[in-house]
Amino acid sequence: MSTATPHTPATPTASPPRLTRRTRTTALGVIATSMLMIILDGSIVTVAMPAVQDDLGFTPAGLSWVVNAYLIAFGGLLLLAGRLGDLIGRRPMFLSGIGLFTAASLAAGAAGSPAVLVAARFAQGVGSAMSAAVALGILVTLFTEPAERARAIGVFSFTGAAGASIGQVLGGVLTDALSWHWIFFINLPIGLAVLLVGVRVLPADRGRGLAAGADVTGALLVTAGLMLGIYTVVQVETYGWTSARTLGLGALTLALLAGFVLRQATARTPLMPLRILRSRKVSGANAVQMLMVAALFSFQIIVALHLQKVLGYGAAATGLAMLPAAVVIGAVSLGLSARLCTRFGERTVLLTGITLLIGALGLLARIPVRADYVTDLLPVMLLAAGFGLALPALTSLGMSGAGKDDAGLASGLFNTTQQIGMALGVAVLTTLAAGRTEALRAAGSPSAEALTGGYRLAFTVGAALLVAAFAVAFLTLRREPTAAAGHRQPHPAAATGRTGAEA
């Protein structure tokens, strides 16, 4: 059942005029470039962390807040920003977010103290949330034909899937050749270009008005709950899962989110109408994404740790070693995924992609201590093509139930589950890997063997999460009874592909 159930908003959103194909293509470039900048920023920082610590005098515990401050702001504000985009207009929300992110990047690059850098990273997270939350909402209103939309989502997905690998290469090069400051300064020309072109090509939209969803109580509950939840998860490695601090904050997080759900069920103008979760495609796709992103943290980060800490690769060499994964992901998501989704349906393509990823992590679960790149790691990089299949199909499914008045909310929800999955992946897999490594060291294993043993456990758990994602996708993402009717009555933001093939 589609979540775009008939309703009459207080202030209907005017349908944007049909833009030319060239303008829509340019707008897609603006959206994709902005998302690439945000994804690059997230991965490029991890490579430069040692240089940042040495230059600004961060303590080991304080250094983690260069990442955590960004994650808390980004993940905590996505849902709110997505809904506000529907109410006040997705275009102004997107452009304001890019403007804030660009200004915060300048402040981060010029930071001369830990406090200034952490504050700038929090502001970057706010700007990222404002723009990323509505990006997919803009995309699905620009591209309404199934095949056209599938190709656009393939481009969008490529920026997310390949951006992290590109960031690792670029981060190493910039840090070694110039300084860590330039990992932030590089955002300035990109952000300004996105703003200048975006003002001209992104479709203007007025939104429904704040009165259509001005649920201040709900906004406070969900923002506080998400921020506190992400804060709790990223601190697990320091305090442990069973500490009184973790359990107490976790219980408070659940109470805040439960209060938000109850509020949405009773509010006259809810911030997040619960109808959006009635679609099996939307709810199932978000659940699959959370599991998949949590699992693939082990690929993106722990493979890099194995290359550096066990095999002795440098930062730039690590990025180059993972470049084949970015290449195959890009080739599949840009050139193949749209055609396969059109022919076989998103569900079939998603399941195929997850199967390839299970194979990749299965191989990593048996990785030797002195792994050979060509025989042990290159096959894994090639199997990463599964991400190029899975992510575009999953994105189409996650946005499939969004009506034109809820596109920003659906986009924010999809990005929120991605961030929650990432935070959980970081907390669970790094904790398990560290615990296994310490146990092996205590038993007398050499450092390289102990580290590899910990990484293998993380890869094994990641593969199990992908198996769970496959099961959820297989059971929940079947064709819905109203799919055929939805095909005969296309909605400006509801047509996502030939769902009749999703048997």
Side-chain angles (χ1 to χ4, degrees), residues 44-102:
I44 208 172
V45 168
T46 60
V47 177
M49 293 280 272
V52 172
Q53 183 176 20
D54 292 342
D55 190 25
L56 296 185
F58 272 96
T59 64
L63 185 64
S64 66
W65 282 98
V66 176
V67 174
N68 292 346
Y70 179 89
L71 286 177
I72 290 170
F74 188 28
L77 291 171
L78 278 165
L79 193 62
L80 176 60
R83 190 52 173 168
L84 287 177
D86 289 330
L87 300 178
I88 67 174
R90 289 182 284 273
R91 179 177 180 268
M93 178 64 72
F94 177 86
L95 294 175
S96 297
I98 293 298
L100 176 57
F101 179 86
T102 304

Side-chain angles (χ1 to χ4, degrees), residues 33 52 71 92 113 141 152 158 176 214 265 289 322 328 340 384 399 412 426 442 455 472 491:
T33 301
V52 172
L71 286 177
S113 68
T141 56
F158 165 72
D176 292 342
Q289 178 177 231
M322 298 186 72
V328 296
L340 292 177
M399 294 298 295
V426 171
Y455 298 153
V472 173
H491 190 283

Side-chain angles (χ1 to χ4, degrees), residues 271-290:
L271 180 74
M272 188 185 82
L274 297 181
R275 64 176 180 272
I276 198 168
L277 299 177
R278 293 175 190 156
S279 168
R280 286 184 303 166
K281 287 182 181 179
V282 173
S283 56
N286 277 279
V288 170
Q289 178 177 231
M290 191 179 299

Side-chain angles (χ1 to χ4, degrees), residues 45-269:
V45 168
T46 60
V47 177
M49 293 280 272
V52 172
Q53 183 176 20
D54 292 342
D55 190 25
L56 296 185
F58 272 96
T59 64
L63 185 64
S64 66
W65 282 98
V66 176
V67 174
N68 292 346
Y70 179 89
L71 286 177
I72 290 170
F74 188 28
L77 291 171
L78 278 165
L79 193 62
L80 176 60
R83 190 52 173 168
L84 287 177
D86 289 330
L87 300 178
I88 67 174
R90 289 182 284 273
R91 179 177 180 268
M93 178 64 72
F94 177 86
L95 294 175
S96 297
I98 293 298
L100 176 57
F101 179 86
T102 304
S105 296
L106 175 61
S113 68
V116 172
L117 181 56
V118 170
R121 288 288 288 162
F122 186 89
Q124 276 189 308
V126 176
S128 295
M130 293 169 65
S131 55
V134 296
L136 274 172
I138 296 173
L139 187 149
V140 298
T141 56
L142 279 171
F143 299 93
T144 58
E145 297 298 325
E148 189 181 52
R149 176 180 289 185
R151 287 192 294 270
I153 286 179
V155 173
F156 182 88
S157 300
F158 165 72
T159 64
S165 297
I166 297 171
Q168 290 174 332
V169 178
L170 192 59
V173 170
L174 287 175
T175 303
D176 292 342
L178 297 171
S179 71
W180 66 264
H181 301 275
W182 284 92
I183 67 173
F184 298 112
F185 287 150
I186 196 174
N187 292 330
L188 301 183
I190 303 174
L192 290 173
V194 168
L195 285 171
L196 290 174
V197 180
V199 167
R200 299 183 62 181
V201 301
L202 293 179
D205 60 320
R206 292 182 304 162
R208 301 171 61 199
L210 287 175
D215 179 15
V216 177
T217 301
L220 292 174
L221 286 170
V222 71
T223 303
L226 289 172
M227 282 189 167
L228 182 61
I230 293 172
Y231 170 79
T232 303
V233 169
V234 299
Q235 293 289 90
V236 161
E237 191 173 358
T238 302
Y239 295 98
W241 287 99
T242 58
S243 68
R245 177 192 177 94
T246 299
L247 294 176
L249 292 179
L252 181 56
T253 296
L254 293 176
L256 288 169
L257 295 179
F260 169 70
V261 173
L262 290 174
R263 172 69 181 178
Q264 301 316 289
T266 58
R268 185 174 63 87
T269 56

Side-chain angles (χ1 to χ4, degrees), residues 249-426:
L249 292 179
L252 181 56
T253 296
L254 293 176
L256 288 169
L257 295 179
F260 169 70
V261 173
L262 290 174
R263 172 69 181 178
Q264 301 316 289
T266 58
R268 185 174 63 87
T269 56
L271 180 74
M272 188 185 82
L274 297 181
R275 64 176 180 272
I276 198 168
L277 299 177
R278 293 175 190 156
S279 168
R280 286 184 303 166
K281 287 182 181 179
V282 173
S283 56
N286 277 279
V288 170
Q289 178 177 231
M290 191 179 299
L291 291 166
M292 195 169 77
V293 170
L296 291 177
F297 163 80
S298 64
F299 177 85
Q300 178 184 340
I301 302 298
I302 298 184
V303 168
L305 289 174
H306 182 82
L307 288 169
Q308 293 184 18
K309 293 190 174 183
V310 177
L311 300 183
Y313 284 40
T318 297
L320 290 172
M322 298 186 72
L323 192 57
V327 172
V328 296
I329 289 170
V332 171
S333 60
L334 291 175
L336 187 61
S337 63
R339 292 197 296 271
L340 292 177
C341 285
T342 300
R343 182 171 181 180
F344 299 107
E346 291 96 341
R347 178 177 180 268
T348 300
V349 175
L350 172 61
L351 293 174
T352 302
I354 294 176
T355 300
L356 293 176
L357 293 173
I358 291 171
L361 291 191
L363 289 176
L364 287 171
R366 303 178 61 186
I367 192 169
V369 176
R370 297 299 173 189
D372 178 77
Y373 181 79
V374 174
T375 59
D376 296 315
L377 288 168
L378 186 57
V380 172
M381 301 299 167
L382 298 179
L383 285 172
F387 200 44
L389 290 176
L391 188 58
L394 191 60
T395 303
S396 292
L397 291 165
M399 294 298 295
S400 62
K404 63 180 179 181
D405 293 324
D406 295 329
L409 174 60
S411 176
L413 177 63
F414 193 74
N415 282 286
T416 297
T417 58
Q418 185 179 85
Q419 293 305 308
I420 293 173
M422 186 183 299
L424 288 172
V426 171

Side-chain angles (χ1 to χ4, degrees), residues 426-449:
V426 171
V428 173
L429 297 180
T430 55
T431 300
L432 290 174
R436 177 64 174 163
T437 296
E438 289 304 314
L440 290 172
R441 281 175 173 162
S445 296
S447 179
E449 291 184 8

